[in-house]
Every structure is written in structure tokens, then in C-alpha cells.
Amino acid sequence: MRQDKDIPTVFVVDDDAGMRDSIRWLLESVNHKVEVYSDAQEFLEGLDPEQPGVVLLDIRMPGVSGLELQEWLRDRGLEIPVIILTGHADVPAAVRAMKGGALDFIEKPYNAQYLIETVQKAIEQDQQRRELGSRREELRRRAARLTTRESQVAKRVVQGYSNKAIARELDLSPKTVEVHRGRVMEKMEAGSTAELVQMLIAAEWTTEEEEA
């Protein structure tokens, strides 16, 4: 079982033991946590989708290739950043990797400083994505507490309707709309209408009537 689950980890998948050791030494020298694997299968057996970090992939390996592993991760919605690091570079492989979402395609022998900078950028990108995802899920949990009527009011607030316009469209009194609007603000923990709109947009929130 992996320890320090919240610490970003660099996963090095390469069948060359010397290369694995070299990369581990380099990245640990700048205080990165590193785990090394000799092939894709070994990596997948211990894969924890919740573990933050970045994957450094060789292309040519026994069994599943690096590009196949990259595609496997992508097809399953695992968004951990991937950096291809290979001594067998060619244009088709580079195009395939970049189209598949690889952050970079680095040829061996690699430039140590460039690799360090690329890994750091990938870790920062992964952290930002995870923070946005956590924020989105929290906002969705708040939005799920809205009643049907509150959702209808909230939808029109996002669309820029005034209380009077909402009242006319939903056949309610302006006072009733004001009450519902206040409850929406309270449940979403929004301090202003602008913040409420930002929250619902960030949550990628939709009402039942929009989904129907």
C-alpha cells in the first residue's frame, strides 16, 4: 500500500533499470517522491487513481507499450499528466502521444534541468485540476440541496433575470421569488449574486428542466 497519499508522486515506467535509477536519483535530488516500475503491468497493479502526481513513460517496453498505457489511462478517464521519455522517438509516435494528451515528448538522453522543470509543471497542473475538481464537487453537493422551485429561480438568476421577471415567468409573487432567492443564496453559501452565478457556472450545474 502506498504511503503519503496526498504527496505528489512521479511514477517512472521504464524497462531500463539504469534509466529508472538515473531518473529516480535526479528527481529525488530536488525533493520529489518517486516510484519506479519496470513495465506497464507492474504499474497498473499498484495504480491508485486518487494519488496525485505525474507518469514518466518509456515507449518501447515488453508487453504493453508506453503509448498503449497512455491510451489505457485516457480511455478510463484517469487524468494524471503523462510525459513520454524515450530513446526511440519518431514523428508518428510523437504525434500519437501529443494527440493522446501527453504533456511533453522528451528524447533520451534527456536534459536534466528540462526534465525537472517539465515534471514540476506537470505536478502543478495536476494539483490545479484536482483542486478545481474538489471545488466543483463541493458546489454540486450544495446545489443538490436546492428544491425544484429554488432550482428554477436559481437558473433564471444565472440567466440575468430580475426578481420581477422571474416572478412573471414562474407565476409567483416577487416576494416569493425573493424568499426562494434568499434560500438559494443560503444553501449555496454565496455572499452575493455575482458569487452565486460564479458558483453555479463552476459547478457545471444544470436543472432538471434543462436535462429533460
Side-chain angles (χ1 to χ4, degrees), residues 77-136:
L78 303 178
E79 300 180 63
I80 185 169
V82 170
I83 297 170
I84 300 295
L85 184 62
T86 181
H88 306 284
D90 58 55
V91 172
V95 170
R96 181 178 170 186
M98 300 308 285
K99 281 187 174 180
L103 184 65
D104 210 333
F105 189 96
I106 302 174
E107 293 187 53
K108 301 172 184 175
Y110 57 84
N111 177 286
Q113 186 58 38
Y114 183 78
L115 180 61
I116 289 171
E117 291 173 357
T118 304
V119 166
Q120 183 58 41
K121 181 168 70 172
I123 288 174
E124 291 171 359
Q125 175 182 296
D126 187 55
Q127 288 176 324
Q128 291 170 0
R129 178 185 62 79
R130 290 173 183 274
E131 288 169 2
L132 285 173
S134 296
R135 174 64 171 165
R136 184 179 296 115

Side-chain angles (χ1 to χ4, degrees), residues 9-82:
T9 301
V10 183
F11 303 104
V12 180
V13 187
D14 196 311
D15 63 330
D16 184 327
M19 182 60 64
R20 293 197 303 270
D21 291 342
S22 172
I23 296 172
R24 181 202 284 271
W25 177 85
L26 173 67
L27 296 177
E28 288 183 342
S29 74
V30 289
N31 300 316
H32 284 302
K33 181 172 178 280
V34 182
E35 293 183 10
V36 297
Y37 301 91
S38 61
D39 57 43
Q41 185 61 39
E42 185 183 11
F43 168 69
L44 291 174
E45 286 174 357
L47 177 62
D48 179 356
E50 299 304 315
Q51 179 72 44
V54 55
V55 182
L56 293 186
L57 281 179
D58 186 24
I59 287 183
R60 294 188 181 178
M61 297 184 292
V64 179
S65 72
L67 293 178
E68 289 171 337
L69 176 56
Q70 178 195 7
E71 290 167 357
W72 188 96
L73 295 170
R74 182 197 64 206
D75 291 346
R76 286 156 180 77
L78 303 178
E79 300 180 63
I80 185 169
V82 170

